[in-house]
């Protein structure tokens, strides 16, 4: 009894940094460990598993508790309180070797700890053959601390112990490969399983005071992976050779939707569709576009093809060959993410296009940033000089909208006006002209007053 009290006191003294504690070992629980892992960002996580603990609990619960406490104390003494030791499960203690321990040294350190833990303590208490150590590297860039802990515990629990061994568990990169493989397999079927959908982000013409059109943006709603970002799955579609098939589906669905909007008789509206390089490389692409327009009954002028600046300038001669038959149809061409692709003026001169989309990078905080202001002003002047339209994308705040409007940009797309919307919500947005008018007519004097109020003048 005296011994137990002594252990408890020492445990408390060594591990007093965290308020969330396990009732038996008095060690910090999962939450403080996960917080520290998130804070450190990378390191090695070791799990020390006390094998046969359940049997011991059934036979002699007091001894089982004592063993756990002793194990906790020995670990804390060994690490001198410099490493976090936590109790993450009934008979599972974790030790966190933060970013200051190189991955190649971590295995050796854990082997030393395991060896020392196995040394007999007294006649009654020995861990001989009862402890197994598993460890894995953690990197916040590839997984969450919760994920790393769950991954490691799953391995520990699935490989009941050969005591005394220290096992290195595969890195997250390996399990991420597995995850990636599963994602790819599911993506192959996403189209046929009806998991792909389009949403539409309004594009506003401030001079006309109305919605001029929408950009169709692809979404994958997977029952297994949840909502997957197009930034993640579009490159995969390209790698898997599926982008042409999916791209054609997008084109059809977007043209069908645009035809439905026209039936609402709310003025002429265009739909913009993003096109991947592989789609344009297909010599029959323009013929596919023509057939789609005919099938959906949409006028070519109502369709805009978006391709990125880097796509267009990579080979301007080829791009021009691809643009010509599309423009001959009457379809519009917009250069997406303008300003990010290092276009030379001579490359631009070769190309015949209708619109540039100023990338969000230059729009964000434009009213405060001199560099962005200079770039936006020259893009607006360039568009004016070439006699083409210019739209700012990623407009999130009234101040950005107002600055751009004041400097000659009249078309806008961004969260300030609306997030991308599902088809029926977009139709509602079209009908709600009052909401749009209020956003367009934002009064600069009002926000100046707000700033003065905030700073108490
Ligand atoms: P993008 O063509 O430049 O599309 C604009 C992206 O910016 C969209 O992201 C949109 O949701 C986001 N965005 C719009 N306004 C704001 C804003 O105010 N703030 C912020 N933070 N973001 C805003 P999303 O939908 O995730 O699409 C990402 C990219 O995926 C697109 O960039 C496009 O390159 C590609 N993509 C989307 N749909 C398709 C498709 O059908 N085919 C192809 N080939 N690519 C597509
Ligand atoms: Mg786009
Ligand atoms: Mg863009």
């Amino acid at each position: 009894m005296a011994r137990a009290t002594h252990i408890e006191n020492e445990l408390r003294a060594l591990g007093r940094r965290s308020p969330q504690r396990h009732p038996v070992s008095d060690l910090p629980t999962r939450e403080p460990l996960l917080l520290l892992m998130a804070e450190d960002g990378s390191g090695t996580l070791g799990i020390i598993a006390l094998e046969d603990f359940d049997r011991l609990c059934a036979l002699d619960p007091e001894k089982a508790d004592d063993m756990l406490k002793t194990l906790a104390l020995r670990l804390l003494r060994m690490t001198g309180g410099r490493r976090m030791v936590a109790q993450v499960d009934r008979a599972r203690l974790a030790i966190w070797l933060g970013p200051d321990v190189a991955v190649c040294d971590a295995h050796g350190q854990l082997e030393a700890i395991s060896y020392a833990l196995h040394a007999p303590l007294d006649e009654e208490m020995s861990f001989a053959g009862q402890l197994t150590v598993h460890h894995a590297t953690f990197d916040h860039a590839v997984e969450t601390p919760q994920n790393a802990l769950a991954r490691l515990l799953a391995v520990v629990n699935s490989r009941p112990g050969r005591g005394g061994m220290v096992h290195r568990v595969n890195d997250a990169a390996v399990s991420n490969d597995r995850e990636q493989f599963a994602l790819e397999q599911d993506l192959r079927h996403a189209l046929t399983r009806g998991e792909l959908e389009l949403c539409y982000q309004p594009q506003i013409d401030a001079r006309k005071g109305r919605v001029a059109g929408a950009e169709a943006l692809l979404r994958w709603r997977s029952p297994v992976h949840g909502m997957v970002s197009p930034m993640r799955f579009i490159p995969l579609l390209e790698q898997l050779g599926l982008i042409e098939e999916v791209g054609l589906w997008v084109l059809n669905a977007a043209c069908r939707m645009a035809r439905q909007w026209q039936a609402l008789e709310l003025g002429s509206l265009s739909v913009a569709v993003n096109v991947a390089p592989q789609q344009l490389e297909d010599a029959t692409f323009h013929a596919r576009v023509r057939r789609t327009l005919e099938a959906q009954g949409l006028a070519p002028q109502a369709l805009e093809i978006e391709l990125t600046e880097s796509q267009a300038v990579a080979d301007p001669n080829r791009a021009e060959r691809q643009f010509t038959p599309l423009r001959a149809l009457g379809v519009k061409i917009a250069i997406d993410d303008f300003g990010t692709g290092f276009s030379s003026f001579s490359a631009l001169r070769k190309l015949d296009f209708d619109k540039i989309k100023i990338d969000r990078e230059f729009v964000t905080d434009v009213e405060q940033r001199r560099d962005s202001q200079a770039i936006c002003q020259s893009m607006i002047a360039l568009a004016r000089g070439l006699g083409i339209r210019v739209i700012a994308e990623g407009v999130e705040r009234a101040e950005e909208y107002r600055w751009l409007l004041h400097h000659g940009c009249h078309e806008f797309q961004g969260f300030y006006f609306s997030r991308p919307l599902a088809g029926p919500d977009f139709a509602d947005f079209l009908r709600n002209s009052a909401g749009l008018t209020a956003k367009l007519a934002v009064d600069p004097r009002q926000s100046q007053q707000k700033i003065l109020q905030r700073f108490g003048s």
Side-chain angles (χ1 to χ4, degrees):
M1 194 63 197
R3 183 165 175 263
T5 320
H6 163 71
I7 291 177
E8 265 151 29
N9 289 341
E10 203 172 333
L11 273 172
R12 226 163 253 135
L14 278 165
R16 73 183 148 242
R17 273 184 301 171
S18 168
Q20 287 146 297
R21 301 194 163 280
H22 188 273
V24 176
S25 68
D26 204 34
L27 287 176
T29 51
R30 284 176 187 225
E31 287 68 28
L33 171 74
L34 296 172
L35 274 178
L36 184 63
M37 286 169 71
E39 217 169 86
D40 285 350
S42 66
T44 296
L45 181 65
I47 300 281
I48 295 129
L50 197 49
E51 306 297 348
D52 272 346
F53 189 70
D54 286 340
R55 257 173 56 205
L56 183 63
C57 280
L59 292 172
D60 187 347
E62 215 170 307
K63 178 153 188 217
D65 279 2
D66 233 18
M67 256 189 125
L68 201 58
K69 284 178 197 163
T70 305
L71 179 62
L73 181 61
R74 289 186 113 189
L75 262 174
L76 284 171
R77 276 192 193 145
M78 253 172 239
T79 56
R82 286 182 303 276
R83 303 273 171 226
M84 179 177 271
V85 178
Q87 174 139 12
V88 290
D89 218 333
R90 252 166 69 74
R92 310 280 184 257
L93 303 192
I95 176 164
W96 172 239
L97 306 180
D100 53 321
V101 178
V103 171
C104 51
D105 295 335
H107 189 84
Q109 287 201 14
L110 288 166
E111 265 182 332
I113 288 174
S114 170
Y115 181 79
L117 285 175
H118 279 93
L121 193 68
D122 53 39
E123 277 146 34
E124 299 161 59
M125 190 77 72
S126 158
F127 294 117
Q130 263 192 289
L131 300 179
T132 327
V133 182
H134 286 82
H135 65 97
T137 51
F138 160 68
D139 180 355
H140 213 331
V142 266
E143 64 182 336
T144 60
Q146 286 83 348
N147 196 47
L149 177 61
R151 182 164 64 82
L152 195 49
L153 280 174
V155 175
V156 173
N157 295 336
S158 68
R159 287 188 208 157
R162 287 190 291 136
M165 301 287 285
V166 177
H167 306 279
R168 181 177 157 79
V169 173
N170 285 335
D171 285 352
V174 177
S175 53
N176 276 355
D177 271 357
R178 225 168 277 139
E179 211 177 280
Q180 183 76 5
F181 181 75
L183 194 77
E184 287 177 17
Q185 294 308 308
D186 292 337
L187 186 56
R188 286 178 198 281
H189 304 288
L191 187 59
T192 48
R193 289 180 185 154
E195 293 167 12
L196 295 183
E197 52 193 66
L198 285 182
C199 60
Y200 300 90
Q201 188 172 32
Q203 297 181 327
I204 312 297
D205 184 331
R207 264 190 301 205
K208 293 186 181 146
R210 68 176 193 88
V211 180
E215 176 175 7
L217 293 161
L218 192 54
R219 297 286 177 263
W220 176 20
R221 192 186 296 273
S222 157
V224 179
H225 311 281
M227 242 3 206
V228 188
S229 155
M231 305 296 262
R232 181 148 184 226
F233 73 81
I234 286 184
L236 270 182
L237 285 174
E238 292 182 12
Q239 279 166 31
L240 297 171
L242 296 169
I243 192 72
E244 288 175 76
E245 189 188 348
V246 171
L248 197 59
W249 176 85
V250 169
L251 192 66
N252 262 288
C255 289
R256 192 179 318 122
M257 185 54 85
R259 186 75 192 86
Q260 287 177 22
W261 297 332
Q262 291 185 347
L264 297 174
E265 295 190 351
L266 291 163
S268 67
L269 287 168
S270 63
V271 70
V273 171
N274 293 283
V275 166
Q278 290 97 322
Q279 288 179 270
L280 271 182
E281 265 154 36
D282 174 3
T284 62
F285 180 65
H286 62 93
R288 286 172 189 265
V289 171
R290 181 174 43 76
R291 279 200 297 271
T292 306
L293 289 165
E294 283 166 5
Q296 302 301 338
L298 189 73
Q301 292 72 19
L303 175 66
E304 204 167 83
I305 299 283
E306 281 192 15
L307 65 163
T308 62
E309 184 189 9
S310 37
Q311 236 173 294
V313 295
D315 182 347
N317 291 323
R318 190 180 56 193
E320 188 50 21
R321 278 199 304 278
Q322 295 164 340
F323 286 10
T324 308
L326 287 170
R327 297 196 85 238
L329 279 178
V331 169
K332 304 270 188 295
I333 294 188
I335 308 290
D336 206 354
D337 305 343
F338 198 77
T340 61
F342 306 105
S343 298
S344 72
F345 287 117
S346 69
L348 284 178
R349 206 176 46 163
K350 289 208 177 87
L351 299 174
D352 209 359
F353 50 91
D354 302 272
K355 186 172 172 183
I356 54 178
K357 299 189 79 177
I358 303 179
D359 191 66
R360 178 160 69 91
E361 187 182 332
F362 309 107
V363 169
T364 304
D365 297 334
V366 65
E367 85 286 1
Q368 299 161 28
R369 295 194 49 173
R370 301 277 305 265
D371 50 355
S372 300
Q373 290 174 1
I375 292 167
C376 286
Q377 273 171 313
S378 47
M379 286 188 208
I380 294 164
L382 178 72
R384 196 172 287 160
L386 293 173
I388 59 175
R389 285 155 61 200
V390 58
I391 182 167
E393 55 176 347
V395 179
E396 290 187 356
R397 296 180 303 112
E399 289 79 1
E400 293 162 354
Y401 156 64
R402 213 165 31 237
W403 190 93
L404 288 156
L405 185 69
H406 186 70
H407 288 86
C409 176
H410 301 109
E411 291 184 53
F412 303 92
Q413 180 181 342
F415 295 171
Y416 173 62
F417 290 102
S418 169
R419 290 187 173 257
L421 302 168
D425 295 337
F426 182 80
D428 288 345
F429 186 88
L430 284 178
R431 291 191 197 96
N432 176 17
S433 58
L436 178 60
T437 311
K439 293 240 156 169
L440 285 167
V442 64
D443 178 359
R445 280 165 307 177
Q446 273 178 7
S447 17
Q448 247 175 15
Q449 262 170 6
K450 262 193 222 153
I451 294 169
L452 290 176
Q453 274 164 11
R454 203 186 312 153
F455 291 99
S457 345

